Amino acid sequence: MGIVDALGPAVNHLTIGQRVICRNSQGGNWAEYAIIQAAKAYPVPDDIPDEQVASFLINPATAILMLRHVLAVPPGQWLLQSAAGSELGRMIIRLAKRDGIKTLNIVRRKEALAELQALGADAVLISTEAPIDEQVRNIVGPDGVNYAVDAVAGQTGTEMFRSLSIDGRMLLYGSLTDQPVRVGEDPRFTLSGRRRLEVYWLGYWLPRLDDSGFFSNGRSAVAQLIDEIVALVREGVLTTTPGANYPLNLIRDAVTEAESPGRDGTVVIAPGQS
């Protein structure tokens, strides 16, 4: 998130002093000042807090794109997800609940069960208690699930793939274990249907949104995506839990905190603070 400090001569959709989302994949935003293309700055409403705006184009965008557009999960269907206790996992639970999608949520600790159920999770699976595919079929039936999103890979991702129905689709959007998903572990299962393992990466989709067909009213697709995020943040569906704020001179501490397990909220880097 940034404040417009200066504009090039041909820019007429922004004003100096305006608060904007900054897409700056080339230079990065861990700085007090950055020069970006005007087309990659998007004005945001005054009523959305800075910490929420700074998080718009990562977790909220990913939740919307995966559920509503890439997978296009219909209401009434089951969605299986790993890392359900993460900030993004919680957003997915709330968004799915709003859209009428039922969620099966994988966590490692029983302590997370009550909290996720309070958010709207329809079922919570403890990965250490039994194979995930067995737990899934005990809940949804022998056919399995049609949709899944995985941030873990490794054994968790492998068991999630085995949870898919004959035409099921699974998006791999992370690899917390740095281990592969073994889709060919059981050749009979892999070959006996049309199950698909696909990859989701936000950096792939954002530059291609205008050509994706996901948004079609003639405006910039990213601008339409931001409109969706703003509406859902206002509803409390895609809000980010803000964590500690760090100035730039404590960037090492900020990164250490961001990478620590069990942290409380999303770390915010606030240039200009001391």
Side-chain angles (χ1 to χ4, degrees):
M1 188 281 297
I3 305 295
V4 176
D5 188 69
L7 295 168
V11 179
N12 53 27
H13 70 290
L14 300 171
T15 58
I16 292 175
Q18 192 169 24
R19 191 175 61 146
V20 295
I21 294 170
C22 310
R23 280 178 62 199
N24 189 18
S25 55
Q26 298 302 312
N29 285 336
W30 293 3
E32 280 197 71
Y33 290 89
I35 298 173
I36 65 172
Q37 295 176 348
K40 293 185 177 180
Y42 304 92
V44 287
D46 293 338
D47 63 305
I48 308 294
D50 289 350
E51 292 85 354
Q52 301 298 328
V53 175
S55 304
F56 268 17
L57 283 182
I58 304 296
N59 286 344
T62 292
I64 288 174
L65 289 175
M66 288 200 304
L67 268 63
R68 290 184 169 181
H69 300 290
V70 179
L71 284 180
V73 184
Q77 288 285 325
W78 283 100
L79 172 72
L80 174 66
Q81 72 154 333
S82 61
S86 67
E87 196 72 28
L88 177 54
R90 294 163 189 263
M91 286 186 186
I92 288 173
I93 291 171
R94 295 193 297 263
L95 180 61
K97 193 72 174 179
R98 184 198 181 282
D99 289 356
I101 299 163
K102 297 178 289 187
T103 55
L104 291 156
N105 301 277
I106 303 167
V107 294
R108 296 180 62 188
R109 300 177 298 106
K110 281 185 178 180
E111 293 78 10
L113 192 149
E115 187 178 356
L116 296 188
Q117 287 176 331
L119 288 177
D122 294 282
V124 179
L125 313 180
I126 313 301
S127 61
T128 54
E129 290 190 346
I132 291 166
D133 50 315
E134 289 182 14
Q135 296 187 63
V136 168
R137 286 184 165 81
N138 285 339
I139 295 171
V140 307
D143 289 342
V145 294
N146 291 332
Y147 303 96
V149 292
D150 177 33
V152 178
Q155 186 63 26
T156 294
T158 300
E159 292 178 7
M160 289 178 68
F161 185 78
R162 293 205 301 261
S163 305
L164 293 179
S165 67
I166 197 167
D167 290 305
R169 294 173 62 198
M170 176 170 142
L171 291 183
L172 181 68
Y173 71 93
S175 180
L176 294 175
T177 60
D178 286 331
Q179 298 295 320
V181 176
R182 299 185 301 277
V183 299
E185 191 173 48
D186 182 351
R188 290 173 299 178
F189 177 82
T190 306
L191 297 173
S192 63
R194 191 166 168 264
R195 299 171 184 88
R196 284 169 285 173
L197 176 64
E198 305 169 45
V199 175
Y200 169 88
W201 181 44
L202 183 64
Y204 171 87
W205 280 113
L206 281 181
R208 295 168 173 81
L209 279 187
D210 285 324
D211 300 320
S212 67
F214 295 160
F215 303 89
S216 57
N217 75 0
R219 292 172 58 232
S220 156
V222 174
Q224 292 179 69
L225 173 62
I226 291 171
D227 288 347
E228 243 182 287
I229 293 170
V230 166
L232 290 165
V233 168
R234 284 174 172 158
E235 288 183 34
V237 175
L238 295 184
T239 50
T240 298
T241 306
N245 280 27
Y246 287 87
L248 280 172
N249 64 315
L250 295 179
I251 193 68
R252 182 183 294 275
D253 294 340
V255 173
T256 300
E257 169 96 1
E259 293 183 342
S260 63
R263 69 180 183 279
D264 185 20
T266 298
V267 173
V268 177
I269 298 169
Q273 289 189 357
S274 59

